[in-house]
């Protein structure tokens, strides 16, 4: 089966940068879209950025100009480069894949989440 493994979270000072990675292990035959979401306690999970294969990326207004989503199709990996981080960006970040594999098609497949904390 496919698993999404995230890495790159941690503690960073305001104004700093982090790069999150999410790699799908297992066999994916068709990759349709990837996305990053984030969630803070007591709030709903919110979309940060998404990338449909072959289309331009989409960003939430609160990260435009600061975050960049990209992918390495050869590795089934999606990245989130986060610059100019603010304390308000503190959250658990989750990757999400829409894909097909030998086990079927999945349009809402989640990683385990990685904590990002922005604090001085």
């Amino acid at each position: 089966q496919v698993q999404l493994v995230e890495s790159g979270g941690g503690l960073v000072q305001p104004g700093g940068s982090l790069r999150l990675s999410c790699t799908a292990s297992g066999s994916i035959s068709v990759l349709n879209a990837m996305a990053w979401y984030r969630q803070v306690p007591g709030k709903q999970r919110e979309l940060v950025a998404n990338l449909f294969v072959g289309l331009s990326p989409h960003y939430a207004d609160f990260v435009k100009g600061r975050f960049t989503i990209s992918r390495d199709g050869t590795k089934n990996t999606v990245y989130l480069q986060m610059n100019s981080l603010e304390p308000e960006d503190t959250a658990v970040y989750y990757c999400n894949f829409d894909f097909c594999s030998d086990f079927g098609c999945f349009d809402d497949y989640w990683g385990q989440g990685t904590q990002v904390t922005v604090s001085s």
Side-chain angles (χ1 to χ4, degrees), residues 55-73:
L55 299 180
S56 298
H58 166 80
Y59 297 94
D61 287 343
F62 54 77
V63 302
K64 280 182 180 177
R66 300 189 298 125
F67 291 9
T68 303
I69 187 171
S70 62
R71 75 180 190 107
D72 183 336

Side-chain angles (χ1 to χ4, degrees), residues 78-100:
V78 64
Y79 305 97
L80 185 68
Q81 177 66 43
M82 305 186 294
N83 299 327
S84 301
L85 283 161
E86 304 167 351
E88 293 74 21
D89 295 317
T90 296
V92 178
Y93 284 72
Y94 298 89
C95 63
N96 178 285
F97 275 39
D98 177 343
F99 66 94
C100 293

Side-chain angles (χ1 to χ4, degrees), residues 27-33 53 71 76 97-102 104-106:
S27 179
I28 290 180
S29 56
V30 178
L31 181 58
N32 298 311
V53 175
R71 75 180 190 107
N76 287 331
F97 275 39
D98 177 343
F99 66 94
C100 293
S101 72
D102 292 342
C105 292
F106 305 88

